[in-house]
PDB file of all heavy atoms in Angstrom:
ATOM      1  N   GLY A 618       1.102  20.730  33.134  1.00 95.00           N
ATOM      2  CA  GLY A 618       2.450  20.694  33.678  1.00 95.00           C
ATOM      3  C   GLY A 618       3.218  19.439  33.282  1.00 95.00           C
ATOM      4  O   GLY A 618       4.439  19.370  33.377  1.00 95.00           O
ATOM      5  N   SER A 619       2.476  18.417  32.858  1.00 95.00           N
ATOM      6  CA  SER A 619       3.109  17.143  32.464  1.00 95.00           C
ATOM      7  C   SER A 619       3.976  17.326  31.205  1.00 95.00           C
ATOM      8  O   SER A 619       3.597  18.011  30.271  1.00 95.00           O
ATOM      9  CB  SER A 619       2.100  16.041  32.131  1.00 95.00           C
ATOM     10  OG  SER A 619       1.373  15.645  33.254  1.00 95.00           O
ATOM     11  N   GLY A 620       5.103  16.630  31.232  1.00 96.00           N
ATOM     12  CA  GLY A 620       5.885  16.448  29.976  1.00 96.00           C
ATOM     13  C   GLY A 620       5.463  15.107  29.439  1.00 96.00           C
ATOM     14  O   GLY A 620       5.251  14.125  30.211  1.00 96.00           O
ATOM     15  N   VAL A 621       5.225  15.035  28.162  1.00 97.00           N
ATOM     16  CA  VAL A 621       4.741  13.805  27.539  1.00 97.00           C
ATOM     17  C   VAL A 621       5.568  13.460  26.306  1.00 97.00           C
ATOM     18  O   VAL A 621       6.059  14.342  25.593  1.00 97.00           O
ATOM     19  CB  VAL A 621       3.240  13.872  27.173  1.00 97.00           C
ATOM     20  CG1 VAL A 621       2.411  13.988  28.409  1.00 97.00           C
ATOM     21  CG2 VAL A 621       2.953  14.987  26.228  1.00 97.00           C
ATOM     22  N   GLU A 622       5.721  12.158  26.074  1.00 98.00           N
ATOM     23  CA  GLU A 622       6.245  11.691  24.738  1.00 98.00           C
ATOM     24  C   GLU A 622       5.088  10.940  24.088  1.00 98.00           C
ATOM     25  O   GLU A 622       4.459  10.035  24.747  1.00 98.00           O
ATOM     26  CB  GLU A 622       7.391  10.791  24.987  1.00 98.00           C
ATOM     27  CG  GLU A 622       7.989  10.266  23.702  1.00 98.00           C
ATOM     28  CD  GLU A 622       9.223   9.430  23.859  1.00 98.00           C
ATOM     29  OE1 GLU A 622      10.165   9.878  24.614  1.00 98.00           O
ATOM     30  OE2 GLU A 622       9.237   8.280  23.336  1.00 98.00           O
ATOM     31  N   LEU A 623       4.801  11.316  22.868  1.00 98.00           N
ATOM     32  CA  LEU A 623       3.645  10.720  22.135  1.00 98.00           C
ATOM     33  C   LEU A 623       4.147  10.097  20.875  1.00 98.00           C
ATOM     34  O   LEU A 623       5.128  10.539  20.263  1.00 98.00           O
ATOM     35  CB  LEU A 623       2.656  11.805  21.801  1.00 98.00           C
ATOM     36  CG  LEU A 623       2.070  12.675  22.908  1.00 98.00           C
ATOM     37  CD1 LEU A 623       1.210  13.785  22.328  1.00 98.00           C
ATOM     38  CD2 LEU A 623       1.346  11.827  23.900  1.00 98.00           C
ATOM     39  N   ASP A 624       3.448   9.071  20.460  1.00 98.00           N
ATOM     40  CA  ASP A 624       3.617   8.470  19.097  1.00 98.00           C
ATOM     41  C   ASP A 624       2.513   9.072  18.291  1.00 98.00           C
ATOM     42  O   ASP A 624       1.350   8.778  18.483  1.00 98.00           O
ATOM     43  CB  ASP A 624       3.492   6.937  19.134  1.00 98.00           C
ATOM     44  CG  ASP A 624       3.668   6.321  17.796  1.00 98.00           C
ATOM     45  OD1 ASP A 624       3.315   6.903  16.780  1.00 98.00           O
ATOM     46  OD2 ASP A 624       4.167   5.187  17.739  1.00 98.00           O
ATOM     47  N   VAL A 625       2.905   9.928  17.346  1.00 93.00           N
ATOM     48  CA  VAL A 625       1.940  10.553  16.431  1.00 93.00           C
ATOM     49  C   VAL A 625       2.213  10.070  15.001  1.00 93.00           C
ATOM     50  O   VAL A 625       3.200  10.406  14.404  1.00 93.00           O
ATOM     51  CB  VAL A 625       2.087  12.117  16.464  1.00 93.00           C
ATOM     52  CG1 VAL A 625       1.042  12.762  15.564  1.00 93.00           C
ATOM     53  CG2 VAL A 625       1.981  12.654  17.868  1.00 93.00           C
ATOM     54  N   ASP A 626       1.362   9.138  14.566  1.00 87.00           N
ATOM     55  CA  ASP A 626       1.502   8.511  13.222  1.00 87.00           C
ATOM     56  C   ASP A 626       2.920   7.966  13.034  1.00 87.00           C
ATOM     57  O   ASP A 626       3.520   8.166  12.032  1.00 87.00           O
ATOM     58  CB  ASP A 626       1.190   9.565  12.124  1.00 87.00           C
ATOM     59  CG  ASP A 626      -0.252   9.888  12.047  1.00 87.00           C
ATOM     60  OD1 ASP A 626      -1.097   9.046  12.528  1.00 87.00           O
ATOM     61  OD2 ASP A 626      -0.613  11.001  11.607  1.00 87.00           O
ATOM     62  N   GLY A 627       3.444   7.336  14.060  1.00 92.00           N
ATOM     63  CA  GLY A 627       4.771   6.652  13.937  1.00 92.00           C
ATOM     64  C   GLY A 627       5.966   7.507  14.251  1.00 92.00           C
ATOM     65  O   GLY A 627       7.061   7.062  14.308  1.00 92.00           O
ATOM     66  N   ALA A 628       5.733   8.821  14.557  1.00 95.00           N
ATOM     67  CA  ALA A 628       6.802   9.736  14.869  1.00 95.00           C
ATOM     68  C   ALA A 628       6.689  10.049  16.359  1.00 95.00           C
ATOM     69  O   ALA A 628       5.563  10.412  16.831  1.00 95.00           O
ATOM     70  CB  ALA A 628       6.766  11.008  14.044  1.00 95.00           C
ATOM     71  N   LYS A 629       7.804  10.029  17.066  1.00 97.00           N
ATOM     72  CA  LYS A 629       7.814  10.454  18.490  1.00 97.00           C
ATOM     73  C   LYS A 629       7.853  11.960  18.603  1.00 97.00           C
ATOM     74  O   LYS A 629       8.672  12.630  17.916  1.00 97.00           O
ATOM     75  CB  LYS A 629       8.978   9.817  19.190  1.00 97.00           C
ATOM     76  CG  LYS A 629       8.857   8.343  19.440  1.00 97.00           C
ATOM     77  CD  LYS A 629       9.976   7.775  20.229  1.00 97.00           C
ATOM     78  CE  LYS A 629       9.799   6.282  20.393  1.00 97.00           C
ATOM     79  NZ  LYS A 629      10.896   5.664  21.134  1.00 97.00           N
ATOM     80  N   ARG A 630       6.976  12.502  19.453  1.00 96.00           N
ATOM     81  CA  ARG A 630       6.912  13.951  19.679  1.00 96.00           C
ATOM     82  C   ARG A 630       6.963  14.189  21.163  1.00 96.00           C
ATOM     83  O   ARG A 630       6.380  13.402  21.936  1.00 96.00           O
ATOM     84  CB  ARG A 630       5.646  14.530  19.112  1.00 96.00           C
ATOM     85  CG  ARG A 630       5.312  14.211  17.714  1.00 96.00           C
ATOM     86  CD  ARG A 630       5.983  15.230  16.816  1.00 96.00           C
ATOM     87  NE  ARG A 630       5.502  14.994  15.473  1.00 96.00           N
ATOM     88  CZ  ARG A 630       6.244  15.070  14.431  1.00 96.00           C
ATOM     89  NH1 ARG A 630       7.460  15.451  14.531  1.00 96.00           N
ATOM     90  NH2 ARG A 630       5.781  14.839  13.241  1.00 96.00           N
ATOM     91  N   HIS A 631       7.692  15.181  21.613  1.00 97.00           N
ATOM     92  CA  HIS A 631       7.747  15.548  23.005  1.00 97.00           C
ATOM     93  C   HIS A 631       7.060  16.914  23.244  1.00 97.00           C
ATOM     94  O   HIS A 631       7.272  17.899  22.519  1.00 97.00           O
ATOM     95  CB  HIS A 631       9.256  15.718  23.404  1.00 97.00           C
ATOM     96  CG  HIS A 631      10.030  14.425  23.289  1.00 97.00           C
ATOM     97  ND1 HIS A 631      10.112  13.502  24.285  1.00 97.00           N
ATOM     98  CD2 HIS A 631      10.702  13.946  22.213  1.00 97.00           C
ATOM     99  CE1 HIS A 631      10.814  12.465  23.831  1.00 97.00           C
ATOM    100  NE2 HIS A 631      11.217  12.792  22.593  1.00 97.00           N
ATOM    101  N   TYR A 632       6.166  16.989  24.223  1.00 97.00           N
ATOM    102  CA  TYR A 632       5.435  18.167  24.525  1.00 97.00           C
ATOM    103  C   TYR A 632       5.368  18.354  26.047  1.00 97.00           C
ATOM    104  O   TYR A 632       5.454  17.379  26.846  1.00 97.00           O
ATOM    105  CB  TYR A 632       4.016  18.149  23.998  1.00 97.00           C
ATOM    106  CG  TYR A 632       3.877  18.007  22.523  1.00 97.00           C
ATOM    107  CD1 TYR A 632       3.467  16.870  21.960  1.00 97.00           C
ATOM    108  CD2 TYR A 632       4.202  19.088  21.688  1.00 97.00           C
ATOM    109  CE1 TYR A 632       3.265  16.760  20.601  1.00 97.00           C
ATOM    110  CE2 TYR A 632       4.102  18.963  20.333  1.00 97.00           C
ATOM    111  CZ  TYR A 632       3.605  17.813  19.775  1.00 97.00           C
ATOM    112  OH  TYR A 632       3.475  17.721  18.400  1.00 97.00           O
ATOM    113  N   GLN A 633       5.123  19.627  26.456  1.00 97.00           N
ATOM    114  CA  GLN A 633       4.734  19.875  27.811  1.00 97.00           C
ATOM    115  C   GLN A 633       3.337  20.504  27.729  1.00 97.00           C
ATOM    116  O   GLN A 633       3.082  21.388  26.907  1.00 97.00           O
ATOM    117  CB  GLN A 633       5.670  20.885  28.523  1.00 97.00           C
ATOM    118  CG  GLN A 633       5.239  21.117  29.960  1.00 97.00           C
ATOM    119  CD  GLN A 633       6.178  22.075  30.680  1.00 97.00           C
ATOM    120  OE1 GLN A 633       7.079  22.677  30.106  1.00 97.00           O
ATOM    121  NE2 GLN A 633       6.025  22.154  31.969  1.00 97.00           N
TER     122      GLN A 633
END
Side-chain angles (χ1 to χ4, degrees):
S619 291
V621 295
E622 181 177 309
L623 305 175
D624 179 329
V625 181
D626 291 333
K629 289 184 181 178
R630 307 273 188 218
H631 299 271
Y632 298 111
Q633 182 178 9

